[in-house]
């Protein structure tokens, strides 16, 4: 609530950041290897290029996919999040279509790998 000249505030809701977007320089009191930090950053740096109005969709789907018990999942399993995503994006009436679109986008950016026959894997 500070009102100093030149001060700009920022509120980052950590709960809305997918685990893959949380890059640790120090974890459990131990510095992380530089190569791991760079690899983790390169995995998600595509997010900076997403238009703000679409970034919410991408992050929301990434958060949903992290709830799955395995890194490998089917399109049908991704559709299980339809209700959650509908609540977050009430103006979108084509949730399954948007899920497929976002899966394709995440695949094209290297975040997911398409294994065929509706099977994906988080890299």
């Amino acid at each position: 609530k500070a009102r100093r000249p030149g001060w700009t505030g920022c509120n980052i809701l950590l709960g809305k950041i997918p685990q893959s977007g949380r890059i640790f320089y120090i974890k459990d009191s131990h510095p992380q290897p530089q190569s791991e930090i760079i690899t983790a950053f390169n995995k998600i740096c595509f997010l900076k290029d997403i238009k703000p109005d679409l970034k919410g969709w991408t992050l929301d789907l990434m958060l949903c996919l992290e709830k799955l018990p395995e890194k490998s999942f089917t399109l049908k399993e991704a559709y299980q999040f339809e209700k959650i995503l509908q609540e977050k994006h009430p103006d979108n009436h084509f949730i399954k279509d948007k899920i497929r679109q976002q899966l394709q986008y995440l695949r094209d950016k290297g975040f997911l790998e398409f294994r065929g026959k509706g099977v994906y894997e988080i890299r």
Side-chain angles (χ1 to χ4, degrees):
K1 297 184 180 188
R3 300 271 187 243
R4 294 184 299 277
W7 180 83
T8 302
C10 177
N11 292 322
I12 298 173
L13 301 173
L14 295 177
K16 293 192 175 197
I17 298 174
Q19 288 297 321
S20 56
R22 300 176 190 193
I23 301 172
F24 294 94
Y25 292 90
I26 297 174
K27 187 174 184 180
D28 299 326
S29 301
H30 297 91
Q32 299 302 296
Q34 183 179 5
S35 60
E36 288 183 22
I37 295 168
I38 291 170
T39 299
F41 176 79
N42 287 336
K43 183 178 175 182
I44 55 125
C45 69
F46 69 90
L47 292 171
K48 68 178 173 47
D49 298 326
I50 302 175
K51 294 178 184 177
D53 56 326
L54 296 177
K55 193 174 288 190
W57 257 105
T58 305
L59 293 174
D60 289 341
L61 184 59
M62 289 171 72
L63 282 167
C64 288
L65 296 177
E66 286 180 352
K67 294 177 184 177
L68 294 170
E70 303 290 329
K71 286 190 171 223
S72 182
F73 63 93
T74 64
L75 182 59
K76 185 177 179 181
E77 289 173 307
Y79 285 160
Q80 292 175 358
F81 300 107
E82 182 178 10
K83 185 175 180 179
I84 293 168
L85 294 167
Q86 179 66 63
E87 289 173 3
K88 289 186 174 193
H89 304 276
D91 294 335
N92 189 314
H93 303 290
F94 303 97
I95 300 298
K96 286 184 178 178
D97 296 332
K98 191 66 172 183
I99 290 172
R100 283 194 311 276
Q101 178 196 48
Q102 290 299 305
L103 290 173
Q104 290 171 359
Y105 178 77
L106 291 170
R107 177 207 61 202
D108 293 347
K109 294 301 181 182
F111 183 80
L112 297 176
E113 184 175 339
F114 181 64
R115 299 283 185 161
K117 298 185 180 179
V119 178
Y120 294 84
E121 186 169 337
I122 299 173
R123 291 186 167 180

